[in-house]
Amino acid sequence: MVSEYEKPVFKEVLPITKPYLPSFERVKDKISEIFSSGMITNYKYVKELESDVSKYMNVKNAIAVSSCTSGLMLVEKLLNLTGEVILPSFTFSATGHSLMWNNLKPVFVDIDPNTFLIDTEKIEEAITPKTSAILAVHTFGLPSEVKKLQEIADANNLKLIFDSAHAFGSKVDNKYIGQFGDAEVFSSSPTKLMTTGEGGLVTTNNDELAKQIRIGRNYGDDGSYDCKFIGMNARMAEFNAILGIESLKLIEDHIRMREKIVEIYQKELKEIPLAFQRISSNYRTTFKDFAIILDEKEFGLNRDKVAEIMRSQNIITKKYFYPLHKQTAYSDFINSNTKLPITDKISQNILCLPLYAKLSEEDVKKVCYVLKSIYDNRDNLK
Ligand SMILES: *Cc1c(COP(=O)(O)O)cnc(C)c1O
């Protein structure tokens, strides 16, 4: 029986995530080359990564940037967004922060209770004459309803941007995420599947936008030293790109490894009352995170209590996301009309479990054993 007082099921702490890195062998020659030549930025490996990514996703342009946050900031500025932008509150803080840096007003729309994606049925009622764009998120790697969102954007003359931080390798009807909307923005920080250490990528089929982003990541300077607008330094260094080139080669295997782990989770956890993110069959997700929904009425214990007991067993979980409308930084945009009941419910009941490429089958089963035994002992653990 799992209790808070006995020896924990895991002797050592089981992390929630770990990067899946190429072997050092695979990067060392290129690193050694830039070390001896001194070409540690603005050289060929950033270009090589960009070209590899645009081929992989079948998109005309991929522009490497310093982070997903800076990529979003540049895209929003260079699409000339004004006024209000519609986005889910159920996302990582950086999605909203990018808008705030551009003095845009975030307008939160609730999510679908099964997919945790922005509820497309609720977007139109949030549109006002000031709305300039929709910023959707491919949550945990599950693609948003790209076609429907594009229809809404077209019908209302809005730009459509995707925060694709989780979705490197995701697909809709066999088409890779990266080619939808006006632009998509990826993160390659270490918790994401394709990693460059820190960094991001903007992808777009709009050549003019791509050109402007390249200028924008370089202070707004097109090389003439006559800055065309106020940009920033959002460049990626060569070291990061070298890691990215090799990380990209692992991506398909990486996704398959995560799919296998999730299959074990779902099979092992079938007998206890939990819900999972619903994934329709024409969508491929990366399982950037694997979340369970714990309804206190059905499970007998609340999410916080379960997380606490799992921590006592040395299992790290994450109550991801902490919705934006509950964060201090967004308090100016919240009033009595802000009603996001599904976001509130999901964010109170969600728990992300350990998931990374090299997580062993045995450890997944042990995590499931802990969850099942918490459920079996729910009355004593209250
Ligand atoms: C990680 C993440 C970001 C931020 O990415 P950075 O590269 O760290 O700027 C943005 N949005 C979502 C949904 C994320 O998970």
Side-chain angles (χ1 to χ4, degrees):
M1 178 185 132
V2 169
S3 94
E4 286 160 274
Y5 311 105
E6 279 168 47
K7 236 175 31 185
V9 170
F10 284 88
K11 278 201 208 79
E12 279 162 35
V13 171
L14 183 73
I16 182 152
T17 184
K18 265 189 199 176
Y20 179 43
L21 297 176
S23 68
F24 185 65
E25 275 303 300
R26 300 199 67 102
V27 296
K28 78 175 198 312
D29 289 350
K30 290 180 184 131
I31 302 261
S32 176
E33 178 205 337
I34 62 169
F35 243 82
S36 17
S37 68
M39 303 298 281
I40 54 180
T41 191
N42 291 327
Y43 182 51
K44 65 181 186 190
Y45 291 115
V46 167
K47 293 189 190 90
E48 187 174 320
L49 174 65
E50 291 176 339
S51 142
D52 291 353
V53 168
S54 69
K55 271 186 218 130
Y56 173 76
M57 289 177 185
N58 192 24
V59 62
K60 279 164 83 182
N61 305 280
I63 305 110
V65 285
S66 55
S67 68
C68 177
T69 313
S70 63
L72 285 167
M73 286 163 66
L74 285 169
V75 166
E76 291 155 12
K77 182 182 172 79
L78 294 165
L79 285 173
N80 298 311
L81 302 192
T82 57
E84 301 174 358
V85 175
I86 288 169
L87 77 163
S89 169
F90 190 71
T91 182
F92 184 65
S93 59
T95 317
H97 287 10
S98 65
L99 298 173
M100 305 279 267
W101 275 95
N102 279 307
N103 284 319
L104 295 161
K105 183 182 170 195
V107 174
F108 299 120
V109 165
D110 215 351
I111 51 169
D112 179 282
N114 298 308
T115 62
F116 319 152
L117 299 169
I118 193 165
D119 187 341
T120 50
E121 302 294 319
K122 291 186 184 143
I123 290 179
E124 269 176 319
E125 63 199 53
I127 296 174
T128 76
K130 289 186 186 152
T131 310
S132 62
I134 302 168
L135 172 52
V137 181
H138 306 305
T139 309
F140 305 146
L142 178 62
S144 312
E145 292 176 70
V146 290
K147 270 196 211 125
K148 207 151 172 200
L149 287 165
Q150 191 64 61
E151 281 164 21
I152 298 170
D154 290 345
N156 294 280
N157 199 19
L158 305 176
K159 301 287 187 203
L160 176 60
I161 306 166
F162 292 101
D163 176 336
S164 310
H166 297 182
F168 200 110
S170 297
K171 291 183 197 174
V172 174
D173 293 328
N174 249 355
K175 283 192 185 143
Y176 277 103
I177 286 300
Q179 50 189 301
F180 298 99
D182 290 282
E184 300 209 42
V185 188
F186 295 85
S187 170
S188 49
S189 71
T191 62
K192 314 300 194 303
L193 274 75
M194 198 289 284
T195 188
T196 59
E198 294 287 354
L201 284 138
V202 177
T203 59
T204 178
N205 281 316
N206 178 338
D207 294 338
E208 183 52 31
L209 177 65
K211 189 175 146 204
Q212 295 301 316
I213 303 246
R214 289 184 188 284
I215 298 171
R217 74 174 173 186
N218 192 50
Y219 320 102
D221 179 3
D222 62 3
S224 67
Y225 290 96
D226 171 22
C227 284
K228 301 299 183 277
F229 54 88
I230 305 299
M232 61 173 129
N233 180 353
R235 296 187 305 258
M236 181 184 281
E238 292 289 319
F239 295 104
N240 303 79
I242 290 169
L243 177 54
I245 290 164
E246 294 304 323
S247 180
L248 177 60
K249 292 179 187 160
L250 302 175
I251 189 86
E252 292 293 315
D253 273 346
H254 189 171
I255 294 170
R256 276 191 286 274
M257 289 159 103
R258 298 175 90 93
E259 282 168 349
K260 280 209 185 106
I261 293 165
V262 169
E263 253 172 55
I264 304 169
Y265 267 131
Q266 289 181 331
K267 191 168 155 235
E268 293 287 316
L269 296 175
K270 213 171 39 232
E271 62 222 60
I272 55 175
L274 297 172
F276 309 121
Q277 186 179 29
R278 187 187 294 163
I279 292 144
S280 59
S281 58
N282 56 329
Y283 281 28
R284 180 217 224 177
T285 177
T286 56
F287 290 113
K288 193 304 219 160
D289 291 284
F290 177 65
I292 55 173
I293 302 292
L294 273 149
D295 188 314
E296 183 171 2
K297 275 196 216 96
E298 285 167 37
F299 194 86
L301 289 170
N302 71 32
R303 186 270 318 261
D304 290 348
K305 185 70 193 170
V306 173
E308 193 187 300
I309 302 168
M310 291 183 79
R311 186 65 190 81
S312 76
Q313 301 300 315
N314 280 333
I315 302 166
I316 306 291
T317 58
K318 201 166 50 168
K319 300 168 186 176
Y320 195 48
F321 298 111
Y322 299 84
L324 302 192
H325 75 286
K326 299 277 190 196
Q327 296 192 23
T328 309
Y330 291 87
S331 51
D332 287 352
F333 300 98
I334 306 312
N335 56 45
S336 55
N337 295 325
T338 313
K339 291 203 175 64
L340 303 164
I342 310 293
T343 300
D344 287 335
K345 187 167 176 219
I346 297 292
S347 57
Q348 279 157 21
N349 292 347
I350 200 161
L351 197 62
C352 292
L353 302 182
L355 176 58
Y356 46 89
K358 291 287 174 72
L359 181 63
S360 70
E361 178 164 348
E362 192 196 335
D363 283 348
V364 181
K365 288 187 170 160
K366 270 162 76 180
V367 172
C368 295
Y369 161 78
V370 170
L371 262 168
K372 286 188 275 193
S373 87
I374 291 172
Y375 177 67
D376 291 341
N377 294 298
R378 61 196 177 279
D379 294 331
N380 306 322
L381 290 164
K382 276 208 174 91

